[in-house]
Amino acid sequence: MIEIISRSTQSRLTSIGIPVASAGVALLLAAIPLIAAGAPVLSAYGQMFLGVFGSVFTFTEMLTRATPLIFTGLAAAVAFRAKLWNIGGEGQLYLGALAAVWIGTGMIDGPPALMIPLVLLAGAMAGGLGMVGPAVLKTRFGADEVVTSLLLNFIILIFVQMMLEGPFKDPMGLGWPQSEPIIDAAILPQLMERMRLHAGFLLALGTALIASVIMTLTVWGFRVRAVGENAAAARHAGIRVNRTYLAVAFASGGLAGLAGVSEVAGLKGYLTADLSPGFGYTGIVVAMLAGLSPTGVVIAALFVASVFVGADSMSRAMGVSSFLADLIVSMSLICVLLGGFFSRFHVRIKARAVS
């Protein structure tokens, strides 16, 4: 007979150590498919390390890859704190990118001091509105936001494809479904010459810091945490739960929208239907690895980005499938979930009494 008993407290060391230990265990488990593929494990991991930290270029590529993951990780972390399950980060990212293109391709012409804030604001507003719909359905009709936000991803992507084939299509794009390029004044500046790293990374770090302060030191952050802990008790205490859900939904979607802005205005310069390889979904993994901590999201995003960039390098150098990166990230998440379970509960096996 298995008995599960809740632990009364969880130490700070445990909450920090579980994600770190989970990442290490995941790397150890990933050695099994490496051995099966015939690759020397130490050399493979050495190549992964060099693929991230071997040069300034590879390191900045990792930071560039981490930028949208920080935004989408924050989007998931903020929503999940209120137990509002936003699975629509991918669609909200595309809405943010679409709004950035709408504003930044010449609709308004001004200096960078005007254009960059306008593009960021438009992207955040569009992404935020993309999550408000599922939140309204949840608060008014009791609809499951997991289903509505997830299905909305596909609707938004089809809408974006329609716009890229229609009014947003670049007449100089030789028939390819892509938007016109964003004007120079609306482009996020590069941080280093001849590198792809752009100011969106600094914006992501600043956003994570602001989110951490808001969630831990403000009344609004307390309300969000209270609703997440027990919505009924929060409502009894006078907190307007539905209003909190709507505010959290808008903030969460806005953060995901900023991920789209950073990609289209900081990296690519124009919008295509394949802008994101799944940053919205990976952001959920990042948030879970971080334990829903805004500052932890930065660390988790850097880890996930390092795995992906390092695995790409290892794949090219050793002929090992780059899908190993997905395997490592997935196993890290599983290890974090298992570790979190055992940190919150005692599991005891009792012998069944013989009658």
Side-chain angles (χ1 to χ4, degrees):
M1 178 179 176
I2 298 177
E3 183 180 16
I4 299 176
I5 304 172
S6 178
R7 298 178 188 267
S8 57
T9 59
Q10 180 179 352
S11 68
R12 182 71 175 172
L13 180 61
T14 301
S15 61
I16 296 174
I18 285 174
V20 174
S22 300
V25 171
L27 290 173
L28 289 175
L29 292 176
I32 297 174
L34 276 175
I35 294 172
V41 175
L42 293 180
S43 298
Y45 282 148
Q47 189 61 49
M48 283 187 67
F49 182 84
L50 292 176
V52 177
F53 302 102
S55 67
V56 174
F57 172 76
T58 56
F59 183 69
T60 57
E61 282 296 296
M62 182 272 291
L63 298 181
T64 303
R65 188 73 172 265
T67 300
L69 294 179
I70 294 175
F71 283 120
T72 56
L74 289 172
V78 168
F80 289 4
R81 273 297 180 97
K83 286 190 169 57
L84 180 70
W85 309 113
N86 179 10
I87 314 298
E90 187 78 356
Q92 294 145 25
L93 179 152
Y94 273 98
L95 284 178
L98 190 66
V101 166
W102 179 48
I103 296 294
T105 53
M107 176 185 177
I108 300 175
D109 193 2
L114 172 65
M115 292 303 302
I116 291 177
L118 276 179
V119 166
L120 292 172
L121 179 61
M125 291 285 290
L129 292 174
M131 185 54 195
V132 166
V136 169
L137 293 174
K138 173 186 176 70
T139 56
R140 292 295 300 274
F141 305 106
D144 189 342
E145 73 275 16
V146 172
V147 176
T148 54
S149 61
L150 176 62
L151 295 180
L152 195 57
N153 285 335
F154 304 101
I155 296 172
I156 291 172
L157 187 55
I158 292 172
F159 174 73
V160 169
Q161 291 172 336
M162 181 188 73
M163 298 301 288
L164 293 179
E165 292 283 5
F168 279 33
K169 189 172 184 177
D170 184 6
M172 304 298 291
L174 301 177
W176 292 102
Q178 64 185 46
S179 72
E180 295 183 43
I182 292 179
I183 61 176
D184 291 342
I187 292 291
L188 298 176
Q190 289 182 321
L191 297 183
M192 300 177 67
E193 290 187 7
R194 294 178 294 182
M195 303 292 175
R196 300 200 305 166
L197 184 64
H198 53 84
F201 177 69
L202 297 181
L203 178 64
L205 295 181
T207 303
L209 178 61
I210 292 171
S212 179
V213 171
I214 290 175
M215 293 300 293
T216 56
L217 300 178
T218 68
V219 174
W220 188 79
F222 171 78
R223 290 173 181 164
V224 172
R225 299 196 308 273
V227 170
E229 289 294 332
N230 191 321
R235 185 177 286 108
H236 183 73
I239 296 176
R240 297 182 176 180
V241 174
N242 287 351
R243 180 176 293 184
T244 301
Y245 277 139
L246 292 175
V248 168
F250 187 78
S252 176
L255 289 167
L258 286 176
V261 177
S262 74
E263 286 298 285
V264 78
L267 188 62
K268 202 163 187 177
Y270 56 89
L271 176 59
T272 59
D274 61 350
L275 177 71
S276 169
F279 290 133
Y281 300 110
T282 309
I284 298 172
V285 178
V286 169
M288 298 302 294
L289 289 175
L292 307 185
S293 163
T295 51
V297 161
V298 176
I299 299 173
L302 292 175
F303 167 73
V304 172
S306 297
V307 170
F308 281 122
V309 173
D312 288 341
S313 175
M314 180 184 64
S315 176
R316 292 190 299 269
M318 308 189 69
V320 177
S321 173
S322 60
F323 286 107
L324 182 69
D326 297 308
L327 183 63
I328 294 174
V329 172
S330 301
M331 288 191 298
S332 297
L333 178 59
I334 292 173
C335 292
V336 165
L337 294 176
L338 289 175
F341 174 81
F342 286 110
S343 69
R344 293 192 300 271
F345 300 97
H346 287 289
V347 179
R348 296 176 180 173
I349 300 177
K350 283 188 172 183
R352 186 181 299 272
V354 180
S355 57

